[in-house]
Amino acid sequence: MHELIRDITLCILFAWMLGLLAHFSRQPLILAYLIAGFCIGPFGAGWVKSQDSISVISELGLIFMLFMIGLEIDLKKIVRAGKVILFAAGGQLLGGCLLGILFFAGLGLSLGGGHFDALYLCIACALSSTVIIVKVLYEKRELDTLPGRITLGVLVLQDIFAILFLAVQPSLANLQLSVILLSIGRVAVLVAAALLVSRYVLPRLFHQIARRPELILLGALAWCFLVAETAEQLSLSREMGALIAGVSLSTFPYALDVTAKVTTLRDFFITLFFVALGMTIPVPGLSVIGLALMIAAFTVVSRLVTTFTPLYLMKQGLRASLLPAINLAQISEFSLVVIQTGVTDNHIAPETANAASFAFVVLAVLSTFVMTRSDEITRWAIGPLKRIGLRDLDHGNGHAEEGQEGSHGEARRIVILGFFRAASALLAEIERQTPVLLEQITVIDFNPVVYQTLLSRGLHVIYGDISNVDTLLHAGIGKSEMIILSVPDALLKGASNEKLVRHVRALNPKAMIVATADLLSDVGELYAAGASYVTVTRLSDANELFTVIEAAQAGLLADKRAELDQRLSERREVLP
């Protein structure tokens, strides 16, 4: 007992110290935790030697990790997932697994006789890292963009795929149809029971203890371990039970409160899991390093092929097809969970598991750097892809690279450069007040949903990247009278309002240019760059909030809300 406490102390201490180094060097924290485990484990300094300690620490961390993954799976979003996400995820998962089986079996890895190295690797390589992707997309403010939403949708469906694999994983050595159906049946019974209890019993209990945070936390943990132990009794696994416990809680009214209460404890045990995983990684030999590099290379290539292809075939355009493929090009922390369950059941050789862990580390570092530069990489790649015959959504438009005039013609009197929520609201307002003005407007943007929606409504739209001067030149904005930049700098890719104003002013010295400022200090710089007028959205927001305060003080807030509800019901926005 005292040895376990000492081992946990070493785990947390080294994880914190190396975590600080990772933070200051902008590396993934998971990488720091794995290195910390290696340093103090049997293959490093040897300060933690007890296999029992490593096993207990790892299993506790794994249970909490899967519990939190389950809490973050939104079943409602999966049900509402659009066909683009469903086809993209289906193509990526099925294509990735098929290519994985062919590739790893071709390398000579086992695929039967009680050993399933090729199968586990193809499953592991089909999953992408939620932790890395969400962190980078959040920092880049791309979670709410179309490629960001596609990426997150695919991640959620990857988690469902992993759940299904974990359901049949204990029976791989005796993989018969009856065994598979029995395993799925057990999971179905456990899921149904957990969902029923979480819907009809737990809400009443949690409502009674809502004002006692310590009981909320304790109740969530009790539920996690109860379902985990029930799963163990059903010949599944505690880890599978923890995942089901999390999924069942994600649907009930206190899910956000539970998540907030458990987050700190989750971070503690997830840290322990990855540190314990690092302890099991020996000093790699050349064969392990070679296999790890092949796993990493296969993951990147297969992800690009299997993610880009279905999105491109669904006419999402080259950019919106490339970005999710780049975002998803790494191995998931969930993959390490899958690999560890295989090691525990002797389904996969330790050397193969070590190679997968090294591949995870390599891709965690590389994908972080690549994702931060994904816009530049995409712009660089679009040209060669067009030259080999792949068509973008701008094919036949007047701003194509050849400069030939297509069916859409040049830009009209008023041009909106970039299309996000402010532009969506502007078009809805014009449609409500002066619909005839819509005939004089051109929108230039590279969001395929915006492009298709505006075309279907009969508006003049040109598909293109507004940060590219050639796009502006071939669109013919030199003849337009008014050019509106409604997208703030925080959401622009590869450009800023000041840079765009300078480009537009060089192409059209006489046009009225309306730009958008994020900061008050940006206003003067935009005017100096050539803007005719600068909007500051915080001013209009402040005015709206002030009228709300006045209405509330006068006892008219209900009337103001009714007025707003009426206005909203009359709008047909492209981006609701």
Side-chain angles (χ1 to χ4, degrees):
M1 181 63 182
H2 293 295
E3 189 177 68
L4 177 60
I5 295 175
R6 180 185 67 85
D7 292 344
I8 291 177
T9 302
L10 287 170
C11 290
I12 296 302
L13 180 62
F14 273 79
W16 179 65
M17 290 191 297
L18 290 176
L20 289 176
L21 289 176
H23 171 73
F24 291 121
S25 59
R26 301 182 65 83
Q27 297 299 315
L29 287 178
I30 292 175
L31 175 60
Y33 302 154
L34 289 171
I35 295 175
F38 174 78
C39 290
I40 64 176
F43 302 102
W47 293 331
V48 177
K49 299 178 181 178
S50 171
Q51 293 300 319
D52 290 338
S53 292
I54 295 173
S55 177
V56 170
I57 293 170
S58 178
E59 186 169 12
L60 278 174
L62 190 51
I63 287 172
F64 270 92
M65 182 176 177
L66 289 173
F67 179 56
M68 292 306 298
I69 287 175
L71 275 175
E72 292 166 2
I73 292 177
D74 193 332
L75 295 177
K76 294 178 181 178
K77 286 186 178 180
I78 295 173
V79 172
R80 296 196 303 263
K83 63 178 182 179
V84 171
I85 293 175
L86 290 175
F87 277 98
Q92 184 264 308
L93 288 168
L94 295 177
C97 287
L98 178 60
L99 292 176
I101 288 291
L102 294 174
F103 179 77
F104 292 117
L107 290 179
L109 295 175
S110 55
L111 191 58
H115 297 286
F116 305 95
D117 296 59
L119 177 62
Y120 274 91
L121 285 182
C122 87
I123 298 295
C125 291
L127 307 177
S128 303
S129 173
T130 302
V131 172
I132 294 172
I133 290 172
V134 171
K135 178 178 181 293
V136 176
L137 291 184
Y138 175 80
E139 291 175 350
K140 294 179 66 182
R141 299 189 181 187
E142 292 184 5
L143 286 171
D144 200 30
T145 62
L146 176 65
R149 291 196 298 272
I150 292 174
T151 301
L152 294 180
V154 172
L155 283 173
V156 171
L157 292 171
Q158 284 181 355
D159 288 342
I160 300 298
F161 174 75
I163 292 171
L164 295 176
F165 177 75
L166 288 178
V168 301
Q169 178 268 336
S171 307
L172 282 179
N174 185 28
L175 202 57
Q176 301 173 2
L177 181 60
S178 59
V179 175
I180 294 174
L181 292 177
L182 181 60
S183 297
I184 294 176
R186 289 169 178 165
V187 173
V189 168
L190 187 58
V191 169
L195 288 175
L196 287 173
V197 172
S198 68
R199 181 168 183 176
Y200 296 108
V201 178
L202 292 182
R204 297 180 181 179
L205 292 176
F206 276 77
H207 178 72
Q208 298 297 323
I209 60 174
R211 297 180 181 275
R212 303 294 297 272
E214 65 274 18
L215 288 181
I216 291 280
L217 174 60
L218 195 59
L221 296 181
W223 177 245
C224 171
F225 283 103
L226 173 63
V227 180
E229 196 57 38
T230 303
E232 181 73 13
Q233 298 303 315
L234 290 174
S235 300
L236 296 170
S237 67
R238 292 188 179 93
E239 292 80 7
M240 184 73 189
L243 188 63
I244 293 172
V247 172
S248 64
L249 282 189
S250 71
T251 62
F252 100 131
Y254 294 91
L256 288 176
D257 197 30
V258 169
T259 303
K261 298 291 189 298
V262 179
T263 295
T264 304
L265 202 58
R266 171 206 66 181
D267 293 340
F268 173 76
F269 281 104
I270 287 178
T271 299
L272 288 182
F273 168 72
F274 284 110
V275 173
L277 184 61
M279 294 180 198
T280 64
I281 301 175
V283 178
L286 291 178
S287 61
V288 171
I289 293 176
L291 180 57
L293 293 178
M294 284 190 283
I295 293 171
F298 168 78
T299 301
V300 173
V301 173
S302 65
R303 196 76 86 250
L304 290 173
V305 172
T306 59
T307 305
F308 174 84
T309 303
L311 289 172
Y312 178 76
L313 293 177
M314 295 189 72
K315 301 186 184 303
Q316 295 303 298
L318 293 178
R319 181 179 183 277
S321 301
L322 276 171
L323 282 174
I326 293 172
N327 292 341
L328 293 164
Q330 72 285 122
I331 293 176
S332 172
E333 54 278 354
F334 210 156
S335 299
L336 301 182
V337 173
V338 171
I339 293 291
Q340 279 301 108
T341 58
V343 172
T344 302
D345 292 337
N346 296 316
H347 289 167
I348 181 172
E351 293 78 13
T352 306
N354 293 335
S357 298
F358 278 109
F360 169 85
V361 171
V362 170
L363 291 178
V365 176
L366 291 180
S367 67
T368 301
F369 288 113
V370 171
M371 284 181 65
T372 57
R373 295 162 178 81
S374 58
D375 293 297
E376 295 94 322
I377 294 171
T378 302
R379 289 191 185 92
W380 171 84
I382 285 177
L385 289 175
K386 285 183 176 180
R387 284 193 287 273
I388 65 174
L390 295 181
R391 295 181 177 183
D392 208 346
L393 295 182
D394 61 356
H395 182 74
N397 286 4
H399 70 292
E401 288 185 358
E402 294 83 358
Q404 299 173 348
E405 186 172 337
S407 60
H408 294 283
E410 291 186 338
R412 297 178 179 175
R413 188 171 72 86
I414 301 173
V415 178
I416 300 176
L417 290 184
F419 196 93
F420 203 55
R421 293 199 176 96
S424 176
L426 173 62
L427 284 189
E429 196 65 27
I430 292 173
E431 184 179 37
R432 188 176 71 88
Q433 297 196 34
T434 317
V436 69
L437 188 59
L438 293 175
E439 299 176 0
Q440 305 176 44
I441 294 176
T442 292
V443 174
I444 304 177
D445 194 74
F446 54 30
N447 185 324
V449 173
V450 168
Y451 178 75
Q452 298 291 350
T453 305
L454 292 178
L455 278 182
S456 67
R457 294 189 181 185
L459 280 98
H460 185 243
V461 54
I462 295 174
Y463 181 87
D465 183 356
I466 63 173
S467 67
N468 189 329
V469 179
D470 288 338
T471 298
L472 306 179
L473 178 64
H474 293 308
I477 67 168
K479 300 177 182 178
S480 301
E481 297 177 16
M482 175 176 283
I483 298 163
I484 300 172
L485 312 174
S486 64
V487 182
D489 287 348
L491 298 174
L492 285 173
K493 302 302 172 189
S496 65
N497 272 263
E498 181 186 1
K499 182 180 177 181
L500 287 174
V501 167
R502 293 188 186 279
H503 288 163
V504 172
R505 182 57 73 202
L507 295 172
N508 192 331
K510 298 181 180 179
M512 292 176 286
I513 302 174
V514 180
T516 299
D518 284 337
L519 305 174
L520 297 180
S521 58
D522 294 338
V523 175
E525 295 176 358
L526 288 170
Y527 281 129
S532 308
Y533 186 82
V534 178
T535 64
V536 185
T537 52
R538 69 166 73 176
L539 299 183
S540 57
D541 291 343
N543 183 64
E544 174 69 14
L545 289 173
F546 184 73
T547 61
V548 171
I549 293 174
E550 286 187 317
Q553 290 179 331
L556 301 174
L557 190 59
D559 294 337
K560 186 168 181 62
R561 175 178 173 178
E563 177 188 344
L564 178 61
D565 290 342
Q566 178 63 29
R567 287 170 57 193
L568 292 176
S569 67
E570 297 171 354
R571 300 177 77 85
R572 287 194 317 139
E573 290 210 20
V574 177
L575 299 174

